[in-house]
Amino acid sequence: MPDSQPQQQPQQPPRNDGAAPGPAALVLGGARLADGRTVDVRLSGGRIEAVGTAGSLSPGTGTRLDLGGYLLLPAPAEPHAHCDTALTAEIAGPVPYAPEDIQRRTTEAALLHLGHGATALRTHVRISGVHGLSSLEAVLQARIALRGLIDVHAVAVPRVLTGAAGADGLAMLRDAVKMGAAVIGGCPDLDPDPTGHAEAVLDLAARHGCAVDLHTDGDDPARLARFAAMAGGLRPGVTIGPCSGLSRLPRDVAARIADRLAAAGVTVVCLPQGDCAGLEDRGARGSHGAGWAPVRLLRSAGVRVAAGSGALRDAVNPVGRGDPLEAAFLLASRGGLRPEEAYEAVCGRARAAMGLPEVRVEAGFPAELLAVRGDGLAGVLSLAYSRVVVHEGRMVARTSAVREYCDSAAAVALDLPRQTRSQDGDEQP
């Protein structure tokens, strides 16, 4: 019998007795949960309909997917991407910014993130300069084309919002919100008046009811303290990142700033896999190089900390992967977090930073899931090769990896998978 029921009873309660549901149902069979149980999970209508003991649930006229040997988790989300500049590291000459180039790069980058497990993505898009709003328009077109595969949320990112030069930036930012930018961004560190820049963003966000997501290195404690004072209580939420400069401040100073950010309810998105395109010319402004935010210090102060990918094979990071599990791996291996805490940074905290509903592998929750071959969370963060991604209740991506060893006594003794040989003696892949 199923052992998980919806938290709230819908008008027509789902059948949780193992009987056949509607034709669109998908049953994930024999999956292992983080708590050690092996279960069947039935999905219908974009939500988890039931969770029961292995073999107890039927898909009816739907589909059953065997996930024996896989760990089933809530799907991660990507809170800090730069799809408009992604995949440009090896382009000879100037990077093309025609709308069709932006749309193609955004689509390809989003699908890379999806293949790794992220079913929602927040991408920061430049809206200033000679390209105006064309990059944002192209990203919004890609978002439409990707609907049903991955949710794409666009952040409009102006450069200068103060002084005479800032008038155009403010007008463009207002137009970006009308076009469909879900989040208002900015780069205070690159504005001659960083505090004025942050004030302009927060004011516009308050007027339009938009979330805020700002790029900042975070190496100026007075500026961060003023920002925290301005941002307190703003809904639907304020996020900053990557804040690597906090790690270069004296610990007592950074701790005081962390307390203020926590009190203001500001989320910090760190980038364990590298830097991001939002601060690519920070060197001209005296930055001391790459790094990432002091995650344990921030968490101990009560700051909500999420983790993102940042640059994806562009001029800032030519080897970026866009893999949330790699970000969690780095948080666990180098950031001092337990595997559960590290995964929460790329999953629950990332989703909350993006204003997405919570996901649990329980009946009634959204069917946003990631299955990774392995027995436990620490293992899948170390060897996350084979993955199955579920978005809105259907499988949208699958990656399968096969590792084989040559025929040897050691492989035979350990019962390892071995390469096969054809009849003429040639090895087969």
Side-chain angles (χ1 to χ4, degrees), residues 12 26 29 37 39 44 70 75-76 100 127 132 165 181 189 194 199 202 216 245 262 270 304 321 327-328 337 403 423:
Q12 295 181 343
L26 170 65
R37 289 181 293 153
V39 299
S44 182
Y70 281 78
E100 58 270 22
I127 63 168
D189 298 8
E199 287 177 342
L202 292 169
T216 181
C270 66
R304 295 188 288 264
R321 291 187 183 176
L337 301 190
R403 172 177 286 169
Q423 291 182 353

Side-chain angles (χ1 to χ4, degrees), residues 30-34 67-73 371-381 383-387:
R32 187 181 181 89
L33 300 185
L67 289 182
Y70 281 78
L71 184 70
L72 187 63
L73 301 163
V372 187
R373 184 171 290 281
D375 294 328
L377 191 55
V380 303
L381 293 186
L383 299 169
Y385 298 131
S386 297
R387 310 183 192 188

Side-chain angles (χ1 to χ4, degrees), residues 231-427:
L234 183 69
R235 295 291 180 270
V238 178
T239 299
I240 60 174
C243 293
S244 58
L246 276 173
S247 63
R248 301 191 296 270
L249 297 176
R251 185 173 180 82
D252 60 329
V253 175
R256 288 196 295 272
I257 294 301
D259 288 339
R260 296 195 178 192
L261 293 174
V266 174
T267 297
V268 172
V269 173
C270 66
L271 303 177
Q273 298 172 84
D275 219 323
C276 71
L279 298 172
E280 76 278 12
D281 54 352
R282 65 192 184 283
R285 296 184 178 266
S287 176
H288 299 290
W292 36 301
V295 173
R296 293 184 65 184
L297 182 148
L298 290 167
R299 285 173 51 89
S300 66
V303 178
R304 295 188 288 264
V305 179
S309 297
L312 176 59
R313 289 187 241 160
D314 61 17
V316 176
N317 184 6
V319 296
R321 291 187 183 176
D323 186 351
L325 295 193
E326 183 183 52
F329 163 80
L330 291 170
L331 287 173
S333 64
R334 295 181 53 208
L337 301 190
R338 293 183 294 107
E340 295 77 13
E341 296 170 335
Y343 190 75
E344 179 66 10
V346 301
C347 183
R349 290 300 189 188
R351 291 183 62 85
M354 297 169 63
L356 299 171
E358 181 183 12
V359 175
R360 300 182 196 167
V361 189
E362 298 177 13
F365 283 87
E368 304 290 321
L369 302 168
L370 170 64
V372 187
R373 184 171 290 281
D375 294 328
L377 191 55
V380 303
L381 293 186
S382 300
L383 299 169
Y385 298 131
S386 297
R387 310 183 192 188
V388 175
V389 186
V390 174
H391 174 52
E392 295 181 350
R394 70 188 187 104
M395 185 175 70
V396 292
R398 184 167 193 168
T399 302
S400 298
V402 176
R403 172 177 286 169
E404 296 179 329
Y405 298 88
C406 66
D407 195 356
S408 68
V412 171
L414 295 177
D415 195 25
L416 297 175
R418 287 167 285 157
Q419 294 173 340
T420 59
R421 293 178 180 273
S422 64
Q423 291 182 353
D424 59 7
D426 293 334
E427 289 185 351

Side-chain angles (χ1 to χ4, degrees), residues 163-228:
D168 287 343
L170 282 170
M172 202 173 298
L173 195 53
R174 287 190 287 267
D175 288 341
V177 173
K178 294 176 183 178
M179 287 174 59
V183 186
I184 297 178
C187 300
D189 298 8
L190 306 182
D191 195 301
D193 180 3
T195 299
H197 186 107
E199 287 177 342
V201 168
L202 292 169
D203 178 68
L204 190 62
R207 291 173 182 270
H208 291 275
C210 294
V212 168
D213 196 334
L214 294 179
H215 289 76
T216 181
D217 189 51
D219 59 353
D220 187 326
R223 186 186 304 165
L224 276 183
R226 288 194 296 271
F227 176 77

Side-chain angles (χ1 to χ4, degrees), residues 37-92:
R37 289 181 293 153
T38 300
V39 299
D40 284 357
V41 180
R42 189 165 63 210
L43 315 177
S44 182
R47 305 192 78 80
I48 298 173
E49 187 180 74
V51 178
T53 54
S56 68
L57 301 181
S58 167
T61 56
T63 305
R64 182 179 181 90
L65 178 64
D66 180 18
L67 289 182
Y70 281 78
L71 184 70
L72 187 63
L73 301 163
E78 173 51 65
H80 194 118
H82 288 270
C83 294
D84 58 335
T85 60
L87 310 172
T88 58
E90 298 183 2
I91 293 178

